[in-house]
Amino acid sequence: MSKPQVVEIGGRHLSLTNVDKVLYPAAGFTKGQVIDYYARIAPVLVPHLAEHPLTLKRYPEGVDHEYFFEKNATKHRPDWVKTTPVWSEGNRRTINYLLANDLPTLVWIANLAGIELHPSLSLAKDLSTPCSMVFDLDPGPPANIIHCCQVGLWLREIFDHFGLQSFPKTSGSKGLQIYVPLNLPTSYDATKTFAHALARLLEDEHKNLVVSDMKKELRVGKVFVDWSQNDEHKTTVSVYSLRAREHPTVSTPVTWDEVERALKKKDAGLLTFETGEVLDRVHKLGDLHAPVVTLKQKLPKLAGVADSGGSASKVELAASAGADAGKPKKKTQGRAPTSKRARKV
């Protein structure tokens, strides 16, 4: 392995190690290239990460080896790397999450082989308030991202009905994700209930393609509209984050026109982007997801939309059905605890 390289970035000195180490064997993509990508994408990435508690998905030996999630910031970190303390009921202790607030911190994270970045939807100063509502469209083979495009466009129609702007991005893996920026006081109860209602509505209207239940046996050949990401204790991969796939693909913001074009041509390749392509897109298009950070939108209250007809009343009905389904029943068995062991997705 190469000797550590000491570099100065943003007035901070960092020791970069093993930069020649190949982290993506099929592509020959090295750790140094991972660091270079994150350094170059930082101007548009950092605003999406700043002040959001961050979970890392680290691959120290490469994407074809074991990985681990890191929530608690490593003790061996520079004193200028900021963290935020969050009490964990499950672990009965305080977890010090990283805050990737600047370029030096982002480069330091990349040097840890923190390939995937998974921020909270909340800011550290108010963990109970999501800044956005998110939908993760996850295709069950043989369905693919093209089927996700159709579902995403159906979702956009509903958002348009409520006067809400929405912003799509690729997951960088196999699906599509839709963000509805809020940036106003709200709660996860509100966003999760609303998202679940929309998922139920789509499932009811398009049973042949959409499922709102995460049971894997129900998802074959369909698109799972994952509404459950709207939760204080969950994270979604960041826009511009690398993904640990065979090649260095990136969770990339796209336009709705691009989604429509991919659906029309039935070409999944139109929505697959690697690092160089993403950097070129940002140079030409800027940050297509910039409004997600700043745009203020008020989430409609379900109790107030039932009389407005059309999609609104259907969403209200779907929410009511969801509430009824969630009520406890007699003689129910307890759910087995979820394994905390990391699994590849």
Side-chain angles (χ1 to χ4, degrees):
M1 294 293 178
S2 56
K3 294 182 179 179
Q5 299 179 16
V6 177
V7 297
E8 182 178 348
I9 299 176
R12 307 295 189 184
H13 289 87
L14 295 91
S15 178
L16 306 182
T17 58
N18 302 327
V19 294
D20 295 330
K21 188 173 188 176
V22 175
L23 296 184
Y24 289 82
F29 201 78
T30 66
K31 182 179 173 183
Q33 288 173 293
V34 168
I35 294 170
D36 179 69
Y37 166 73
Y38 275 125
R40 294 171 66 190
I41 202 67
V44 292
L45 172 55
V46 168
H48 293 279
L49 299 177
E51 299 301 330
H52 290 266
L54 182 64
T55 297
L56 306 182
K57 197 173 180 182
R58 293 178 57 183
Y59 290 79
E61 301 302 322
V63 298
D64 58 338
H65 285 74
E66 292 295 318
Y67 66 89
F68 61 95
F69 287 97
E70 186 169 74
K71 296 184 178 182
N72 204 33
T74 176
K75 294 180 180 179
H76 305 288
R77 63 179 185 272
D79 56 10
W80 44 263
V81 171
K82 293 184 178 180
T83 62
T84 185
V86 178
W87 175 256
S88 170
E89 286 293 341
N91 295 295
R92 303 301 299 170
R93 66 186 178 97
T94 296
I95 294 178
N96 293 303
Y97 283 85
L98 288 169
L99 295 176
N101 290 350
D102 51 36
L103 170 61
T105 301
L106 190 58
V107 171
W108 176 76
I109 287 170
N111 188 56
L112 295 176
I115 287 179
E116 292 192 7
L117 311 177
H118 295 252
S120 167
L121 289 174
S122 305
L123 295 173
K125 65 181 181 181
D126 189 359
L127 294 173
S128 63
T129 300
C131 298
S132 298
M133 180 171 60
V134 63
F135 295 81
D136 187 6
L137 308 183
D138 187 8
N144 59 23
I145 196 171
I146 298 304
H147 299 89
C148 294
C149 289
Q150 178 61 81
V151 177
L153 290 167
W154 287 332
L155 268 173
R156 183 184 64 166
E157 289 179 8
I158 299 174
F159 300 144
D160 287 347
H161 174 88
F162 289 112
L164 295 171
Q165 294 186 51
S166 56
F167 299 84
K169 71 180 181 73
T170 70
S171 69
S173 179
K174 56 183 179 177
L176 195 69
Q177 295 165 343
I178 316 298
Y179 278 64
V180 179
L182 301 172
N183 298 307
L184 288 172
T186 186
S187 69
Y188 280 103
D189 283 344
T191 57
K192 196 170 188 177
T193 299
F194 198 92
H196 195 182
L198 263 59
R200 286 176 174 275
L201 171 61
L202 289 175
E203 181 179 43
D204 183 63
E205 295 189 338
H206 307 283
K207 294 183 184 298
N208 63 322
L209 185 58
V210 178
V211 62
S212 66
D213 191 314
M214 66 178 64
K215 295 186 182 69
K216 288 190 175 182
E217 62 269 21
L218 301 177
R219 295 160 59 178
V220 177
K222 296 185 178 183
V223 174
F224 170 45
V225 179
D226 190 353
W227 48 271
S228 68
Q229 294 298 106
N230 297 284
D231 191 289
E232 183 178 338
H233 305 291
K234 291 190 177 183
T235 60
T236 304
V237 69
S238 175
V239 66
Y240 299 115
S241 173
L242 278 162
R243 299 308 304 269
R245 309 293 289 176
E246 187 176 19
H247 290 266
T249 55
V250 175
S251 180
T252 308
V254 293
T255 66
W256 281 115
D257 285 345
E258 287 179 297
V259 173
E260 291 176 341
R261 189 179 308 119
L263 176 61
K264 182 178 180 180
K265 293 182 176 294
K266 300 187 185 305
D267 185 355
L270 294 174
L271 295 176
T272 302
F273 306 97
E274 295 187 18
T275 53
E277 296 168 298
V278 172
L279 289 165
D280 287 343
R281 285 172 62 85
V282 169
H283 178 72
K284 296 174 183 177
L285 304 174
D287 179 13
L288 294 176
H289 260 223
V292 173
V293 178
T294 59
L295 180 61
K296 292 179 170 59
Q297 301 187 114
K298 190 173 183 179
L299 190 69
K301 293 183 179 180
L302 288 172
V305 301
D307 296 330
S308 61
S311 296
S313 59
K314 291 179 181 178
V315 172
E316 177 79 10
L317 289 171
S320 298
D324 291 341
K327 290 180 179 178
K329 299 177 181 179
K330 294 181 180 180
K331 298 182 180 180
T332 54
Q333 294 181 342
R335 179 180 295 179
T338 302
S339 172
K340 295 183 180 179
R341 187 176 181 178
R343 295 179 297 152
K344 288 192 176 182
V345 294

